[in-house]
Amino acid sequence: MKIMNSKNADEQFARLGLNLPPAPRPLGVYKPCLVDGRFLYLSGHGPVQDDKTLIIGRIGKELDAEQGKRAALQVGLTILSTIRTHIGKLDT
C-alpha cells in the first residue's frame, strides 16, 4: 500500500479504498481518547468493522495471516476514527 503525499486525509482514504469505521463507544469506565497538553492518549481499541462488529480470533487458529493483517488494519482505522471524532480533522 503506497501512501501518496497529500494533506487531505479523506482523499488518502478514498485513494486507498479505505473507510473509517464508526468510533466505538466505551464499554467500561474509561476514556477512549484523552488530550493532556500536547499529548494524545488512546485506549480500548479493537478491530471494529464498518458494520460495528468486531473481527474475533487468533492468527493461526481462527484467522489466517491475511485476516490477521485485515484485523490489524481495522484497529488502526478505528483509532483514526476515534481521533477524528474527538479531535476533529485528521489533516496536517
Side-chain angles (χ1 to χ4, degrees):
M1 188 178 331
K2 184 178 178 183
I3 306 278
M4 307 290 235
N5 287 331
S6 172
K7 292 187 181 224
N8 187 314
D10 290 325
E11 288 175 6
Q12 286 284 22
F13 292 130
R15 188 175 302 124
L16 296 170
L18 300 173
N19 297 314
L20 291 183
R25 290 186 170 177
L27 297 175
V29 183
Y30 71 94
K31 291 184 177 186
C33 181
L34 173 69
V35 177
D36 182 17
R38 61 187 186 114
F39 295 100
L40 171 69
Y41 298 94
L42 299 160
S43 66
H45 289 80
V48 178
Q49 301 181 90
D50 292 341
D51 64 2
K52 298 184 181 180
T53 61
L54 290 171
I55 299 171
I56 299 173
R58 292 184 182 185
I59 298 173
K61 200 167 186 180
E62 297 88 6
L63 304 175
D64 62 25
E66 286 305 311
Q67 291 168 317
K69 288 178 189 177
R70 179 67 185 164
L73 174 64
Q74 283 304 119
V75 173
L77 292 172
T78 301
I79 289 170
L80 291 172
S81 181
T82 295
I83 294 170
R84 176 181 274 168
T85 299
H86 293 278
I87 304 298
K89 63 182 185 169
L90 295 173
D91 301 329
T92 58

